[in-house]
Amino acid sequence: MNAWTAQQNEDYGSLSTALCLCVCAAGLFGEDLLQRGYHRDRVVLAHIAGHPGAATRHVARAVGVPERVVARNLDRLIDDGLLELATDGATPALRSYRLVS
């Protein structure tokens, strides 16, 4: 609204300020989405630490998110070297994980 008012009054200082605020808000929103993914990684890691050998399906139920999301978190934690596969099941839902020694 401030940008529209500034444009109508030809106040370009206010217009540029309003646009900068919009860009900053979008950046903070993106950062929040990124941090939410990292938070879920920590929750998944904590669950595996308390339940070694837990399968993807069990972790997803405990965390309360879909299996495909947990599978991405688990893959990222394996890539980071924090988890390893305890058993390599036929499907990702049946694989079990444990902390790296």
Side-chain angles (χ1 to χ4, degrees):
M1 185 66 172
N2 188 22
W4 183 79
T5 305
Q7 185 180 13
Q8 295 299 320
N9 296 332
E10 296 183 8
D11 183 3
Y12 297 109
S14 293
L15 178 64
S16 63
T17 301
L19 293 175
C20 285
L21 288 173
C22 290
V23 169
C24 289
L28 290 173
F29 178 72
E31 180 70 18
D32 185 48
L33 290 176
L34 181 66
Q35 291 299 325
R36 188 177 304 151
Y38 290 143
H39 173 72
R40 194 177 309 109
D41 282 353
R42 290 190 303 266
V43 171
V44 168
L45 186 63
H47 183 77
I48 296 292
H51 303 90
T56 306
R57 181 169 293 150
H58 299 114
V59 176
R61 285 184 191 144
V63 175
V65 295
E67 287 181 31
R68 60 182 163 68
V69 175
V70 170
R72 279 194 305 251
N73 294 119
L74 291 166
D75 288 341
R76 190 168 34 240
L77 290 167
I78 287 173
D79 291 343
D80 291 344
L82 298 171
L83 291 180
E84 64 185 4
L85 282 171
T87 59
D88 193 11
T91 63
L94 299 177
R95 292 181 186 153
S96 60
Y97 301 86
R98 65 176 172 237
L99 293 176
V100 172
S101 303

